[in-house]
Amino acid sequence: MIKDEVKNALKETIKEWETKSPKRIYLTIDKKHLLQTAKLFFSDLSMRLSTITGIDNEQNFELIYHFSCDKSGEIFNIRVFLEKNNPEIDSLTKLFRASDWVEREINEMLGVRFIGHPNLTHLLLDNDWPKDSYPLRKDYTNE
Amino acid sequence: MSKRKIVPIGPYHPLQEEPEFFKLIVEGERVVDLEVDIGYNHRGIEKLAEAKHWDQITFLVERICGICSTSHPFAYCLAVEDLLKIDIPERAHYIRMIIDELQRLHSHLLWLGLAGHFIGYNTIWMWAWKAREPILDMFELISGNRQNYAMMKIGGVRRDMKKEDYQVLRKTIKELYPTLQLFQKAIEDDPVIQTRTKGVGILKKEDALSIAVVGPTARASGVNIDVRRDDPYAFYDKLHWSVITCREGDIYAKVIVRILEMFESCSLIEQCLDKIPDGAIEAEVRDIPPGEGIGRVEAPRGECIHYIRSDGTNRPIRHKIRAPSFVNVASNLVTVPGYTISDAAITLAAVDPCYCCTERSAVFLKTGEKILTGDDLIKLSIQKTENLKKDYGL
Amino acid sequence: MGLKEKILTKSLWVFHASIGSCNNCDIEILDCITPRFDIERFGIQLIGSIRHADAILVTGSLNRKALKRFKKVYAQAPKPCFVIAVGTCPCSRHMFKDSYNTVAALDEVIPVDVYIPGCPPKPEAMITGIVKLIDKINRR
């Protein structure tokens, strides 16, 4: 079972493991383990990165990496938390191209920095969008 | 909070002043690089969703894209139902599948028409869109509208189908088969179309996996994925159908995959009409408790995935939407360079970017002198077809 | 309206500009020239260059990025040029009016001659809108 392979490979790096519904598994890890976890999912277990969700919680930023295991139909969601005052994390573009655009989008919408991303420029917002104005943050208001 | 749909402007009329949507950098006739600029359609739907009630969001997400307008509400409803862990009535599942497959038919026919137009076959365009009209009539019969059907609802569907409609729908699907066979034969027999599309715009399997493309774009490159089979929703796992794949990854493969998928869709609709039971069309849903849910469907362009998080109030605290075109358009960065400018129009269109974005392309020649617009690219493409026809004596 | 405008109504050349639309209206506009509706038999043609346009069909909820470019395009259109707002989005921005990326309704930016509400308006509704425009021009 893929679930067991994941658990065995990641062992103590998994801080929390939830099976919210039969095909939706959420695992929380530290951001320093992101690259090795993503590498396990993509290279070893042939999973596909569907997308990344960025959330502005009151106390932190949360990123959820949704990996689809097409063989079993399950989605493995990697949850990482980032500090509010310095939200940065490794970019997955080192491993594959699928995260290129979605990381740019999270960068412009939430202000999260992706270390090692080759081109962290605006994707959807206009180039003259005010700096440090992040629409998806909870404290954003339309002026 | 992005709305996931790229390409705002119709195939004819981009805002041509500075067409900077796609920038092709060329040397002579060959495209050497491609830059993409999107965001002309961004309406902030994810942020808007945080301010709307759960039941209002189905109407909001329907308008993300006009062509796959039922895939987004479907995926959203599945996400909420994933959170709630409820079962919905059988009849609702079948009605949802019928709408989903009708949508796939209309979308693929639309694409076929536009692709035909881009390589200079306006007859294909007119005939494909004419064949599409009875499908839009079916939508109007079942849901009341040709586009934006508003059929999906958390817990089921909003409108029931009448028994009299089954016969009409069966007849329409039956009459569609010969038209599809005609298109298939026309494309397989025409040497010019083969020359224009075979070996052009190839997306290799390794690139397809690295960029994580979905839908027919992936299946044409040998990546055997389809949400309806891998993570079945509604009753797709109870019906007989096949996932169509090709290995070459060129434009011809993408055309064939879509045409054969249309046959599968017709068969799926007929099977649904055979099996649909009587009964309720919705499960009662009261409050949405705190939690998270993910729903995904196989839209005509590929996997459409929605994530929602609830804190128990009547609005979501986060709604993430990823439409299939978001990943598929990125594949243009590999498929367009290396081929000629006259192939650019059809290659950009081959991923079916929810509408053709080629019209927003600009070509900058290496010397930086002339700028060609999307319209010019289409003209170049049509010119290539004319020349080929002369070569073949057609 | 003078003779210039009345002449245009004989064969209206229409330019389609989408400013951040979901493409539903755009598809229905294209549907008008396909065999079932076939408005080309009335001389109404969709053309590719703004400089040949007699009328502009505008769809979309006026996305910030696209609007900048549209203003330049509109400035290039030879006047008189009639503006037709197709769909509820340019009429009032529809459900996107609270978004951070939609700017204003179309008539706050340029003068509009005909409003065709609907999401999307059916091809019959669009044809009625064009007929009303032609009537409006001829009556003046």
Side-chain angles (χ1 to χ4, degrees), chain C residues 103-130:
Chain C
V103 177
L106 187 63
D107 50 14
E108 294 169 45
V109 179
I110 54 174
V112 176
D113 293 289
V114 179
Y115 299 87
I116 309 180
C119 188
K122 293 177 73 163
E124 289 94 329
M126 292 186 208
I127 294 171
T128 312
I130 305 248

PDB file of all heavy atoms in Angstrom, chain C residues 103-130:
ATOM      1  N   VAL C 103     -12.207  46.761 -12.370  1.00  0.00           N
ATOM      2  CA  VAL C 103     -12.059  48.195 -12.130  1.00  0.00           C
ATOM      3  C   VAL C 103     -13.380  48.939 -12.020  1.00  0.00           C
ATOM      4  O   VAL C 103     -13.682  49.558 -11.027  1.00  0.00           O
ATOM      5  CB  VAL C 103     -11.204  48.793 -13.268  1.00  0.00           C
ATOM      6  CG1 VAL C 103     -11.090  50.281 -13.120  1.00  0.00           C
ATOM      7  CG2 VAL C 103      -9.834  48.164 -13.242  1.00  0.00           C
ATOM      8  N   ALA C 104     -14.187  48.902 -13.089  1.00  0.00           N
ATOM      9  CA  ALA C 104     -15.414  49.693 -13.114  1.00  0.00           C
ATOM     10  C   ALA C 104     -16.333  49.067 -14.145  1.00  0.00           C
ATOM     11  O   ALA C 104     -15.936  48.203 -14.910  1.00  0.00           O
ATOM     12  CB  ALA C 104     -15.087  51.126 -13.514  1.00  0.00           C
ATOM     13  N   ALA C 105     -17.580  49.531 -14.161  1.00  0.00           N
ATOM     14  CA  ALA C 105     -18.470  49.085 -15.227  1.00  0.00           C
ATOM     15  C   ALA C 105     -18.063  49.815 -16.507  1.00  0.00           C
ATOM     16  O   ALA C 105     -17.434  50.871 -16.463  1.00  0.00           O
ATOM     17  CB  ALA C 105     -19.911  49.406 -14.873  1.00  0.00           C
ATOM     18  N   LEU C 106     -18.428  49.264 -17.658  1.00  0.00           N
ATOM     19  CA  LEU C 106     -17.909  49.805 -18.918  1.00  0.00           C
ATOM     20  C   LEU C 106     -18.319  51.253 -19.137  1.00  0.00           C
ATOM     21  O   LEU C 106     -17.530  52.066 -19.640  1.00  0.00           O
ATOM     22  CB  LEU C 106     -18.386  48.944 -20.086  1.00  0.00           C
ATOM     23  CG  LEU C 106     -17.785  49.292 -21.446  1.00  0.00           C
ATOM     24  CD1 LEU C 106     -16.283  49.086 -21.446  1.00  0.00           C
ATOM     25  CD2 LEU C 106     -18.421  48.454 -22.538  1.00  0.00           C
ATOM     26  N   ASP C 107     -19.571  51.609 -18.761  1.00  0.00           N
ATOM     27  CA  ASP C 107     -19.993  52.975 -19.082  1.00  0.00           C
ATOM     28  C   ASP C 107     -19.344  54.025 -18.198  1.00  0.00           C
ATOM     29  O   ASP C 107     -19.527  55.217 -18.422  1.00  0.00           O
ATOM     30  CB  ASP C 107     -21.517  53.123 -19.093  1.00  0.00           C
ATOM     31  CG  ASP C 107     -22.170  52.569 -17.856  1.00  0.00           C
ATOM     32  OD1 ASP C 107     -21.445  52.318 -16.866  1.00  0.00           O
ATOM     33  OD2 ASP C 107     -23.396  52.389 -17.878  1.00  0.00           O
ATOM     34  N   GLU C 108     -18.561  53.576 -17.182  1.00  0.00           N
ATOM     35  CA  GLU C 108     -17.774  54.556 -16.434  1.00  0.00           C
ATOM     36  C   GLU C 108     -16.458  54.845 -17.143  1.00  0.00           C
ATOM     37  O   GLU C 108     -15.720  55.743 -16.758  1.00  0.00           O
ATOM     38  CB  GLU C 108     -17.490  54.017 -15.025  1.00  0.00           C
ATOM     39  CG  GLU C 108     -18.758  53.867 -14.188  1.00  0.00           C
ATOM     40  CD  GLU C 108     -18.484  53.092 -12.903  1.00  0.00           C
ATOM     41  OE1 GLU C 108     -17.472  53.379 -12.250  1.00  0.00           O
ATOM     42  OE2 GLU C 108     -19.287  52.201 -12.568  1.00  0.00           O
ATOM     43  N   VAL C 109     -16.159  54.073 -18.163  1.00  0.00           N
ATOM     44  CA  VAL C 109     -14.865  54.227 -18.845  1.00  0.00           C
ATOM     45  C   VAL C 109     -15.052  54.841 -20.233  1.00  0.00           C
ATOM     46  O   VAL C 109     -14.339  55.761 -20.623  1.00  0.00           O
ATOM     47  CB  VAL C 109     -14.167  52.856 -18.968  1.00  0.00           C
ATOM     48  CG1 VAL C 109     -12.851  52.977 -19.678  1.00  0.00           C
ATOM     49  CG2 VAL C 109     -13.953  52.243 -17.595  1.00  0.00           C
ATOM     50  N   ILE C 110     -15.986  54.279 -20.996  1.00  0.00           N
ATOM     51  CA  ILE C 110     -16.270  54.837 -22.325  1.00  0.00           C
ATOM     52  C   ILE C 110     -17.786  54.899 -22.505  1.00  0.00           C
ATOM     53  O   ILE C 110     -18.500  54.158 -21.841  1.00  0.00           O
ATOM     54  CB  ILE C 110     -15.650  53.983 -23.463  1.00  0.00           C
ATOM     55  CG1 ILE C 110     -16.099  52.513 -23.354  1.00  0.00           C
ATOM     56  CG2 ILE C 110     -14.145  54.069 -23.475  1.00  0.00           C
ATOM     57  CD1 ILE C 110     -15.649  51.667 -24.521  1.00  0.00           C
ATOM     58  N   PRO C 111     -18.279  55.752 -23.405  1.00  0.00           N
ATOM     59  CA  PRO C 111     -19.740  55.820 -23.601  1.00  0.00           C
ATOM     60  C   PRO C 111     -20.252  54.562 -24.298  1.00  0.00           C
ATOM     61  O   PRO C 111     -19.643  54.077 -25.243  1.00  0.00           O
ATOM     62  CB  PRO C 111     -19.918  57.050 -24.503  1.00  0.00           C
ATOM     63  CG  PRO C 111     -18.592  57.322 -25.095  1.00  0.00           C
ATOM     64  CD  PRO C 111     -17.554  56.745 -24.204  1.00  0.00           C
ATOM     65  N   VAL C 112     -21.367  54.028 -23.798  1.00  0.00           N
ATOM     66  CA  VAL C 112     -21.926  52.780 -24.324  1.00  0.00           C
ATOM     67  C   VAL C 112     -23.239  53.083 -25.043  1.00  0.00           C
ATOM     68  O   VAL C 112     -24.043  53.856 -24.557  1.00  0.00           O
ATOM     69  CB  VAL C 112     -22.180  51.797 -23.161  1.00  0.00           C
ATOM     70  CG1 VAL C 112     -22.853  50.534 -23.654  1.00  0.00           C
ATOM     71  CG2 VAL C 112     -20.871  51.448 -22.478  1.00  0.00           C
ATOM     72  N   ASP C 113     -23.411  52.440 -26.203  1.00  0.00           N
ATOM     73  CA  ASP C 113     -24.647  52.675 -26.954  1.00  0.00           C
ATOM     74  C   ASP C 113     -25.729  51.641 -26.683  1.00  0.00           C
ATOM     75  O   ASP C 113     -26.902  51.952 -26.650  1.00  0.00           O
ATOM     76  CB  ASP C 113     -24.339  52.676 -28.466  1.00  0.00           C
ATOM     77  CG  ASP C 113     -23.490  53.864 -28.851  1.00  0.00           C
ATOM     78  OD1 ASP C 113     -24.032  54.982 -28.823  1.00  0.00           O
ATOM     79  OD2 ASP C 113     -22.304  53.673 -29.128  1.00  0.00           O
ATOM     80  N   VAL C 114     -25.317  50.387 -26.552  1.00  0.00           N
ATOM     81  CA  VAL C 114     -26.304  49.315 -26.366  1.00  0.00           C
ATOM     82  C   VAL C 114     -25.831  48.399 -25.243  1.00  0.00           C
ATOM     83  O   VAL C 114     -24.654  48.073 -25.164  1.00  0.00           O
ATOM     84  CB  VAL C 114     -26.441  48.462 -27.656  1.00  0.00           C
ATOM     85  CG1 VAL C 114     -27.439  47.344 -27.458  1.00  0.00           C
ATOM     86  CG2 VAL C 114     -26.848  49.316 -28.835  1.00  0.00           C
ATOM     87  N   TYR C 115     -26.776  48.008 -24.371  1.00  0.00           N
ATOM     88  CA  TYR C 115     -26.467  47.048 -23.314  1.00  0.00           C
ATOM     89  C   TYR C 115     -27.209  45.756 -23.618  1.00  0.00           C
ATOM     90  O   TYR C 115     -28.409  45.769 -23.855  1.00  0.00           O
ATOM     91  CB  TYR C 115     -26.956  47.553 -21.956  1.00  0.00           C
ATOM     92  CG  TYR C 115     -26.326  48.847 -21.505  1.00  0.00           C
ATOM     93  CD1 TYR C 115     -26.861  50.063 -21.887  1.00  0.00           C
ATOM     94  CD2 TYR C 115     -25.209  48.841 -20.670  1.00  0.00           C
ATOM     95  CE1 TYR C 115     -26.287  51.247 -21.475  1.00  0.00           C
ATOM     96  CE2 TYR C 115     -24.642  50.030 -20.248  1.00  0.00           C
ATOM     97  CZ  TYR C 115     -25.180  51.227 -20.657  1.00  0.00           C
ATOM     98  OH  TYR C 115     -24.623  52.398 -20.234  1.00  0.00           O
ATOM     99  N   ILE C 116     -26.502  44.662 -23.634  1.00  0.00           N
ATOM    100  CA  ILE C 116     -27.164  43.369 -23.846  1.00  0.00           C
ATOM    101  C   ILE C 116     -26.886  42.509 -22.617  1.00  0.00           C
ATOM    102  O   ILE C 116     -25.878  41.823 -22.548  1.00  0.00           O
ATOM    103  CB  ILE C 116     -26.636  42.659 -25.110  1.00  0.00           C
ATOM    104  CG1 ILE C 116     -26.669  43.582 -26.313  1.00  0.00           C
ATOM    105  CG2 ILE C 116     -27.456  41.404 -25.411  1.00  0.00           C
ATOM    106  CD1 ILE C 116     -26.169  42.945 -27.597  1.00  0.00           C
ATOM    107  N   PRO C 117     -27.771  42.547 -21.617  1.00  0.00           N
ATOM    108  CA  PRO C 117     -27.491  41.756 -20.414  1.00  0.00           C
ATOM    109  C   PRO C 117     -27.740  40.276 -20.661  1.00  0.00           C
ATOM    110  O   PRO C 117     -28.366  39.890 -21.636  1.00  0.00           O
ATOM    111  CB  PRO C 117     -28.480  42.313 -19.387  1.00  0.00           C
ATOM    112  CG  PRO C 117     -29.595  42.869 -20.187  1.00  0.00           C
ATOM    113  CD  PRO C 117     -29.034  43.279 -21.520  1.00  0.00           C
ATOM    114  N   GLY C 118     -27.227  39.456 -19.750  1.00  0.00           N
ATOM    115  CA  GLY C 118     -27.390  38.014 -19.886  1.00  0.00           C
ATOM    116  C   GLY C 118     -26.079  37.362 -19.503  1.00  0.00           C
ATOM    117  O   GLY C 118     -25.036  37.984 -19.552  1.00  0.00           O
ATOM    118  N   CYS C 119     -26.159  36.116 -19.071  1.00  0.00           N
ATOM    119  CA  CYS C 119     -24.920  35.475 -18.663  1.00  0.00           C
ATOM    120  C   CYS C 119     -24.893  34.043 -19.171  1.00  0.00           C
ATOM    121  O   CYS C 119     -25.174  33.129 -18.403  1.00  0.00           O
ATOM    122  CB  CYS C 119     -24.758  35.518 -17.150  1.00  0.00           C
ATOM    123  SG  CYS C 119     -23.149  34.959 -16.583  1.00  0.00           S
ATOM    124  N   PRO C 120     -24.548  33.801 -20.392  1.00  0.00           N
ATOM    125  CA  PRO C 120     -24.350  34.783 -21.447  1.00  0.00           C
ATOM    126  C   PRO C 120     -25.665  35.082 -22.157  1.00  0.00           C
ATOM    127  O   PRO C 120     -26.590  34.281 -22.086  1.00  0.00           O
ATOM    128  CB  PRO C 120     -23.405  34.060 -22.417  1.00  0.00           C
ATOM    129  CG  PRO C 120     -23.803  32.634 -22.308  1.00  0.00           C
ATOM    130  CD  PRO C 120     -24.278  32.421 -20.896  1.00  0.00           C
ATOM    131  N   PRO C 121     -25.729  36.195 -22.854  1.00  0.00           N
ATOM    132  CA  PRO C 121     -26.944  36.456 -23.629  1.00  0.00           C
ATOM    133  C   PRO C 121     -26.999  35.474 -24.794  1.00  0.00           C
ATOM    134  O   PRO C 121     -25.968  35.150 -25.383  1.00  0.00           O
ATOM    135  CB  PRO C 121     -26.758  37.888 -24.130  1.00  0.00           C
ATOM    136  CG  PRO C 121     -25.333  38.208 -23.941  1.00  0.00           C
ATOM    137  CD  PRO C 121     -24.749  37.262 -22.963  1.00  0.00           C
ATOM    138  N   LYS C 122     -28.163  34.991 -25.093  1.00  0.00           N
ATOM    139  CA  LYS C 122     -28.280  34.038 -26.202  1.00  0.00           C
ATOM    140  C   LYS C 122     -27.999  34.753 -27.522  1.00  0.00           C
ATOM    141  O   LYS C 122     -28.168  35.964 -27.611  1.00  0.00           O
ATOM    142  CB  LYS C 122     -29.685  33.448 -26.238  1.00  0.00           C
ATOM    143  CG  LYS C 122     -29.983  32.570 -25.048  1.00  0.00           C
ATOM    144  CD  LYS C 122     -31.401  32.071 -25.069  1.00  0.00           C
ATOM    145  CE  LYS C 122     -31.628  31.016 -26.125  1.00  0.00           C
ATOM    146  NZ  LYS C 122     -32.853  30.269 -25.898  1.00  0.00           N
ATOM    147  N   PRO C 123     -27.577  34.022 -28.543  1.00  0.00           N
ATOM    148  CA  PRO C 123     -27.346  34.681 -29.830  1.00  0.00           C
ATOM    149  C   PRO C 123     -28.551  35.479 -30.305  1.00  0.00           C
ATOM    150  O   PRO C 123     -28.410  36.548 -30.892  1.00  0.00           O
ATOM    151  CB  PRO C 123     -27.054  33.512 -30.770  1.00  0.00           C
ATOM    152  CG  PRO C 123     -26.480  32.466 -29.885  1.00  0.00           C
ATOM    153  CD  PRO C 123     -27.167  32.613 -28.576  1.00  0.00           C
ATOM    154  N   GLU C 124     -29.765  34.978 -30.026  1.00  0.00           N
ATOM    155  CA  GLU C 124     -30.955  35.734 -30.424  1.00  0.00           C
ATOM    156  C   GLU C 124     -30.981  37.092 -29.734  1.00  0.00           C
ATOM    157  O   GLU C 124     -31.357  38.105 -30.330  1.00  0.00           O
ATOM    158  CB  GLU C 124     -32.237  34.968 -30.057  1.00  0.00           C
ATOM    159  CG  GLU C 124     -32.521  33.732 -30.890  1.00  0.00           C
ATOM    160  CD  GLU C 124     -31.999  32.452 -30.251  1.00  0.00           C
ATOM    161  OE1 GLU C 124     -30.982  32.514 -29.535  1.00  0.00           O
ATOM    162  OE2 GLU C 124     -32.600  31.402 -30.472  1.00  0.00           O
ATOM    163  N   ALA C 125     -30.551  37.108 -28.456  1.00  0.00           N
ATOM    164  CA  ALA C 125     -30.538  38.372 -27.717  1.00  0.00           C
ATOM    165  C   ALA C 125     -29.517  39.327 -28.314  1.00  0.00           C
ATOM    166  O   ALA C 125     -29.762  40.533 -28.426  1.00  0.00           O
ATOM    167  CB  ALA C 125     -30.219  38.123 -26.241  1.00  0.00           C
ATOM    168  N   MET C 126     -28.373  38.785 -28.728  1.00  0.00           N
ATOM    169  CA  MET C 126     -27.349  39.662 -29.307  1.00  0.00           C
ATOM    170  C   MET C 126     -27.831  40.232 -30.631  1.00  0.00           C
ATOM    171  O   MET C 126     -27.603  41.409 -30.931  1.00  0.00           O
ATOM    172  CB  MET C 126     -26.067  38.876 -29.539  1.00  0.00           C
ATOM    173  CG  MET C 126     -25.403  38.471 -28.256  1.00  0.00           C
ATOM    174  SD  MET C 126     -23.834  37.722 -28.641  1.00  0.00           S
ATOM    175  CE  MET C 126     -23.654  36.660 -27.266  1.00  0.00           C
ATOM    176  N   ILE C 127     -28.482  39.382 -31.419  1.00  0.00           N
ATOM    177  CA  ILE C 127     -28.963  39.862 -32.717  1.00  0.00           C
ATOM    178  C   ILE C 127     -30.016  40.951 -32.493  1.00  0.00           C
ATOM    179  O   ILE C 127     -30.030  41.973 -33.177  1.00  0.00           O
ATOM    180  CB  ILE C 127     -29.525  38.692 -33.545  1.00  0.00           C
ATOM    181  CG1 ILE C 127     -28.379  37.728 -33.897  1.00  0.00           C
ATOM    182  CG2 ILE C 127     -30.181  39.191 -34.813  1.00  0.00           C
ATOM    183  CD1 ILE C 127     -28.814  36.443 -34.530  1.00  0.00           C
ATOM    184  N   THR C 128     -30.887  40.743 -31.493  1.00  0.00           N
ATOM    185  CA  THR C 128     -31.875  41.776 -31.162  1.00  0.00           C
ATOM    186  C   THR C 128     -31.182  43.062 -30.764  1.00  0.00           C
ATOM    187  O   THR C 128     -31.609  44.162 -31.143  1.00  0.00           O
ATOM    188  CB  THR C 128     -32.758  41.313 -29.990  1.00  0.00           C
ATOM    189  OG1 THR C 128     -33.220  40.008 -30.245  1.00  0.00           O
ATOM    190  CG2 THR C 128     -33.929  42.249 -29.784  1.00  0.00           C
ATOM    191  N   GLY C 129     -30.097  42.936 -30.018  1.00  0.00           N
ATOM    192  CA  GLY C 129     -29.356  44.123 -29.590  1.00  0.00           C
ATOM    193  C   GLY C 129     -28.805  44.880 -30.775  1.00  0.00           C
ATOM    194  O   GLY C 129     -28.886  46.115 -30.844  1.00  0.00           O
ATOM    195  N   ILE C 130     -28.238  44.152 -31.730  1.00  0.00           N
ATOM    196  CA  ILE C 130     -27.678  44.812 -32.912  1.00  0.00           C
ATOM    197  C   ILE C 130     -28.806  45.477 -33.715  1.00  0.00           C
ATOM    198  O   ILE C 130     -28.661  46.600 -34.204  1.00  0.00           O
ATOM    199  CB  ILE C 130     -26.952  43.793 -33.809  1.00  0.00           C
ATOM    200  CG1 ILE C 130     -25.903  43.035 -33.024  1.00  0.00           C
ATOM    201  CG2 ILE C 130     -26.374  44.490 -35.018  1.00  0.00           C
ATOM    202  CD1 ILE C 130     -24.502  43.298 -33.392  1.00  0.00           C
TER     203      ILE C 130
END
